[in-house]
Amino acid sequence: MSYPPHPPHRQPYQQSYQQPYQQAPGPYPSAPGWPQQYAGAMPMGGPPAGCEVCGASPAAPVTVRGHQGMLVIMRFLRRQGMFCRTCALAVFRDMQADTMVLGWWGPISVFVTPFTLLANVSALSGIKRIPAPVTAGWRPPLDPGKPVFRRPAGVLALIPLGVLGLLLLAVQILLVIGLVAESSGSDHPTLTVGSCVRNDGDWIDQDLRTVPCGSSDAQFRVSDPSTSVCLPEDHRAGLEYSEDGATSFCLRSLK
Ligand SMILES: [Zn+2]
């Protein structure tokens, strides 16, 4: 954002205030176009501490964002300045409601908009901490209007927000299913007594596969630990290679 020579907050209201408050050469230094009664309240040449829209104080620095998706192009909007609580709330509600309607219409915007809305929600908690105006400004504050979700925009936004919520839920469900499938280890062969296997891994991280007993690949014969005693030099297959998941087969070397 590039500012005109005057501080930005004076620009929109300059027209209406230039005439009635003509600057008289007084004892206070004052910027041109700034109402006379604030001349003294201004810190040396800088903007006053009050709300930049209505002049009321206290005011605090507030940043509210907006987003517009337009299929191919998109716009990132930002309104930043010193606002009293009333004006800040009005800016928040307007930009939030506009973003809820105009934010979704692009492949990237679909993802940008939720973050923009969330950033504004955190800005709102800051806005609510600004004390209510105690010093009146030179004009009435902005009208905050209805809360966002009591506006048509808020109701409309429930559709994309709902879809997004379902998508997030679906992704989580798929992740959980994926993890379950992963841990159920469907690629582990189930060993049968008397068959032959080879181990392509080590004995801590086994990678057993069943091979024909006559082949040169065969390294071990599977024996059942419940009917034959495992020899001390036998290896033990991991539990995941048994059908019940609780049996550790003996693997007796063929050599
Ligand atoms: Zn204000």
Side-chain angles (χ1 to χ4, degrees):
M1 224 193 311
S2 69
Y3 289 130
H6 292 304
H9 45 275
R10 277 169 230 159
Q11 210 61 12
Y13 306 103
Q14 205 173 6
Q15 291 303 317
S16 42
Y17 288 100
Q18 194 88 347
Q19 288 315 104
Y21 296 104
Q22 264 306 337
Q23 204 63 53
Y28 305 112
S30 173
W34 195 255
Q36 172 90 48
Q37 70 264 37
Y38 286 93
M42 256 197 297
M44 294 303 284
C51 172
E52 67 175 49
V53 176
C54 70
S57 60
V62 170
T63 304
V64 181
R65 290 164 206 281
H67 187 76
Q68 294 179 1
M70 290 168 279
L71 297 183
V72 181
I73 57 167
M74 54 188 168
R75 283 172 73 189
F76 294 81
L77 308 170
R78 193 174 66 160
R79 181 95 192 257
Q80 193 171 28
M82 293 289 288
F83 296 102
C84 69
R85 188 168 75 177
T86 314
C87 292
L89 194 60
V91 169
F92 161 80
R93 285 181 179 172
D94 284 347
M95 287 190 88
Q96 193 79 332
D98 284 351
T99 301
M100 280 178 165
V101 175
L102 304 172
W104 307 99
W105 309 104
I108 300 168
S109 296
V110 164
F111 299 101
V112 173
T113 291
F115 287 105
T116 308
L117 296 175
L118 270 181
N120 283 344
V121 167
S122 78
L124 177 65
S125 71
I127 290 170
K128 285 180 169 168
R129 283 199 295 270
I130 306 174
V134 282
T135 317
W138 64 84
R139 56 156 286 179
L142 299 176
D143 178 11
K146 289 183 190 169
V148 175
F149 280 107
R150 276 195 248 144
R151 300 179 184 201
V155 177
L156 215 70
L158 289 178
I159 299 165
L161 284 175
V163 170
L164 203 76
L166 285 177
L167 276 177
L168 285 176
L169 196 70
V171 167
Q172 283 181 348
I173 290 173
L174 285 176
L175 274 176
V176 168
I177 291 174
L179 286 176
V180 169
E182 181 86 7
S183 64
S184 75
S186 51
D187 55 339
H188 291 143
T190 302
L191 303 185
T192 50
V193 173
S195 66
C196 293
V197 295
R198 81 176 274 114
N199 181 17
D200 291 321
D202 52 40
W203 290 108
I204 295 176
D205 185 18
Q206 301 178 2
D207 182 12
L208 303 180
R209 62 187 169 93
T210 309
V211 290
C213 285
S215 81
S216 57
D217 281 346
Q219 294 174 318
F220 307 98
R221 188 182 295 276
V222 178
S223 58
D224 189 342
S226 64
T227 55
S228 69
V229 179
C230 286
L231 301 175
E233 65 265 29
D234 284 352
H235 291 287
R236 302 297 291 256
L239 297 177
E240 65 269 26
Y241 290 96
S242 64
E243 195 163 21
D244 57 5
T247 309
S248 178
F249 289 110
C250 302
L251 301 177
R252 190 155 302 163
S253 181
L254 291 169
K255 272 111 198 173

